[in-house]
Amino acid sequence: MTAAPFRLGWFGNLTAPNWRSGWSEDATTWTDARFYVDMVRAMERAGFDFMMLEDSLMVPDIYAGTAELELKHAVYAPKLDPVPVVSMLAYATEHIGIVATASTTFYPPYLLARAFATLDHVTRGRVGWNVVTSSEDRAAQNFGMDEIPEHDRRYDVAAEFLEVTTKLWESWTEKAIVADPESGYYADHTQVNPIHHRGEFFDVRGPLNTPRGPQGKPVICQAGSSPKGRDFAARNADMLLTIPNGLEEMKNYRDDIRERAAEAGRDPDEVKVFFVVAPIVGRTDAEAQAKYEEFLADGQHNFEFQMCNFAATMEIDFSVLDPDLPIPEDVTTNGHQGQFAIWKKVFGDRSIRDAASAMRIASLELIGSPTTIADKMDEAMEYVGGDGFMFLSQPPSRSYISDITEGLCPELRRRGLIRTGFGHRTFRDNLRSF
């Protein structure tokens, strides 16, 4: 049975594209962002709903107390600030949504609300905000803090932050701009009002000095996995990205978010869940399997790469642990707690070295021809109930993008599983169109 149509997103890192093959000039020219312009245009043609731009605010040096491994592999640094890049990507496209990551721990609410209201205008209603609380002490130390606040406290701050930014976006009504030459009024002052917010964490007078955007507010994206994070996402998010392990956990996660959304008084259909995948596509199943075997053969690189991931997102220095033993039970994090719990479960009883060397960050293993992968995606959505997949490539390359947009997506489109066009003007309306 063919599932109902689902959505596609791409999780993009504004870091150096794949440079290890030595074949591409993109490794040294990517900072002008034209690589990402080509990328987002390919996504739009292929039927993607959005491209999401990840971000972090530090050069990690947690692993072994040095930034050597991080900069060797260019995992989280160097990178570009995604907020200004949104404008460039939007100018190059017509319909696709573009989501930028920004932290509630470090941005002031007024500046963020103003930046994203501006982006909503210049993208003509196609911007989204990936709400993160950040999880790294090294990032905190770039903003005058010794360490990142405690996990649940960060979500308390984020909840009030969303309250403030929403009030600011609503401080201009839809009727505020009249541009009436007869009366001489450009904007009606009775439709532009201070918010007078005084809360536990923020005092903001308002109003915003940027008019209400085409969407009213940006599409809100979140990645909550912990109980606190799930509650926050269910109350606030239009879409979530998540990496539960396997079909059963994918279904459980989506069902849980929808239940929490209903309990918060929301229509669960307004909250779309995207499961992270990283397909390996070949013209045949055998060709795809050969690509996978090539990946596994690069075990030392994979191990180092994942150690960078764990150090940056979990603030855990795995260099002090025996890599030939499993993750000790007493290892905890103030970082991404829900995701760390999932990764520990995926590692299981395997040694850190063995598990990390073969680890691919994905909810579902997708390896094969376009036909084989389309079958698996169709079956997964039928079982889980929706809503879509978010593709991840760390780092991206033109060849991998082509595998997806020119190889897999035409097969998905032929089956009617992904969109063939955009029926609405704004990102949020297109996201909710099916």
Side-chain angles (χ1 to χ4, degrees):
M1 179 183 293
T2 298
F6 51 79
R7 300 152 194 79
L8 299 181
W10 192 288
F11 185 93
N13 301 67
L14 293 179
T15 52
N18 192 336
W19 52 272
R20 297 176 69 227
S21 68
W23 285 6
S24 174
E25 292 183 356
D26 293 320
T28 55
T29 63
W30 64 274
T31 51
D32 67 13
R34 285 182 293 179
F35 171 84
Y36 294 98
V37 167
D38 293 345
M39 185 175 178
V40 76
R41 283 173 169 165
M43 302 296 159
E44 184 172 63
R45 288 194 303 269
F48 276 74
D49 279 67
F50 64 90
M51 181 177 177
M52 199 195 82
L53 309 177
E54 175 271 348
D55 196 27
S56 56
L57 295 162
M58 77 294 184
V59 178
D61 64 350
I62 299 301
Y63 189 84
T66 173
E68 178 184 358
L69 207 62
E70 165 61 42
L71 292 175
K72 173 185 176 181
H73 295 291
V75 183
Y76 286 91
K79 66 173 49 174
L80 302 179
D81 184 334
V83 174
V85 175
V86 170
S87 295
M88 187 173 181
L89 302 185
Y91 193 76
T93 54
E94 292 293 331
H95 306 288
I96 191 170
I98 305 167
V99 182
T101 299
S103 174
T104 57
T105 301
F106 303 126
Y107 256 98
Y110 191 94
L111 285 183
L112 186 140
R114 186 171 187 251
F116 277 83
T118 299
L119 289 174
D120 202 30
H121 283 289
V122 301
T123 64
R124 302 178 304 281
R126 293 189 286 131
V127 72
W129 170 28
N130 180 37
V131 182
V132 298
T133 65
S134 296
S135 61
E136 312 90 8
D137 289 343
R138 282 294 182 262
Q141 290 156 14
N142 290 328
F143 292 86
M145 307 175 189
D146 291 330
E147 60 185 19
I148 202 78
E150 185 271 331
H151 177 275
D152 285 4
R153 185 70 165 176
R154 297 199 304 271
Y155 274 108
D156 291 338
V157 172
E160 186 178 333
F161 194 109
L162 261 291
E163 180 185 352
V164 174
T165 53
T166 298
K167 288 178 180 178
L168 288 168
W169 288 319
E170 293 175 349
S171 64
W172 287 67
T173 74
E174 294 177 348
K175 299 178 180 179
I177 294 179
V178 293
D180 182 5
E182 292 188 10
S183 67
Y185 278 86
Y186 181 77
D188 180 350
H189 72 288
T190 67
Q191 303 295 314
V192 182
N193 297 293
I195 66 171
H196 296 303
H197 178 90
R198 299 188 66 84
E200 181 178 358
F201 305 106
F202 303 108
D203 293 336
V204 182
R205 180 186 183 275
L208 206 60
N209 67 342
T210 304
R212 187 185 190 93
Q215 298 184 107
K217 65 178 182 177
V219 167
I220 302 297
C221 177
Q222 222 274 318
S225 294
S226 67
K228 189 85 170 181
R230 293 188 189 202
D231 273 340
F232 177 81
R235 291 179 180 277
N236 296 287
D238 298 293
M239 51 183 270
L240 292 89
L241 68 148
T242 183
I243 321 175
N245 184 34
L247 288 178
E248 201 61 45
E249 292 189 17
M250 290 165 65
K251 178 173 174 53
N252 289 342
Y253 182 92
R254 181 176 183 269
D255 289 347
D256 180 58
I257 290 295
R258 290 173 63 82
E259 182 178 338
R260 291 172 191 255
E263 289 174 355
R266 300 185 64 193
D267 178 355
D269 288 339
E270 292 183 352
V271 185
K272 306 300 183 185
V273 177
F274 289 83
F275 301 100
V276 173
V277 293
I280 297 178
V281 186
R283 286 169 292 186
T284 65
D285 289 350
E287 182 178 286
Q289 187 63 33
K291 290 182 180 181
Y292 179 55
E293 296 297 332
E294 184 179 359
F295 162 79
L296 292 176
D298 205 2
Q300 181 61 26
H301 168 268
N302 300 339
F303 171 73
E304 292 181 2
F305 194 93
Q306 295 306 338
M307 291 304 95
C308 291
N309 263 327
F310 271 74
T313 60
M314 307 296 167
E315 294 270 301
I316 299 173
D317 180 7
F318 271 50
S319 73
V320 303
L321 303 176
D322 188 336
D324 296 313
L325 294 176
I327 299 175
E329 285 297 322
D330 60 351
V331 173
T332 60
T333 180
N334 188 37
H336 295 276
Q337 294 181 355
Q339 197 56 53
F340 184 50
I342 292 171
W343 285 359
K344 286 178 70 175
K345 187 173 182 179
V346 170
F347 273 42
D349 295 330
R350 290 181 295 169
S351 72
I352 294 170
R353 187 190 310 278
D354 288 346
S357 296
M359 182 179 179
R360 287 176 13 91
I361 301 174
S363 286
L364 195 65
E365 194 66 279
L366 298 173
I367 302 171
S369 67
T371 299
T372 296
I373 294 177
D375 284 343
K376 291 181 179 179
M377 294 176 75
D378 188 0
E379 292 166 2
M381 283 293 100
E382 179 69 20
Y383 183 77
V384 172
D387 297 293
F389 295 96
M390 186 175 295
F391 289 15
L392 170 67
S393 174
Q394 289 182 298
S397 68
R398 292 184 187 271
S399 60
Y400 184 72
I401 294 164
S402 179
D403 285 346
I404 302 300
T405 60
E406 306 298 328
L408 176 58
C409 286
E411 178 64 20
L412 295 173
R413 182 172 278 171
R414 183 185 66 78
R415 300 179 184 212
L417 293 175
I418 61 174
R419 65 170 65 253
T420 58
F422 297 83
H424 300 275
R425 185 170 63 94
T426 69
F427 179 18
R428 179 175 284 105
D429 287 342
N430 280 315
L431 191 66
R432 294 179 178 178
S433 62
F434 57 85

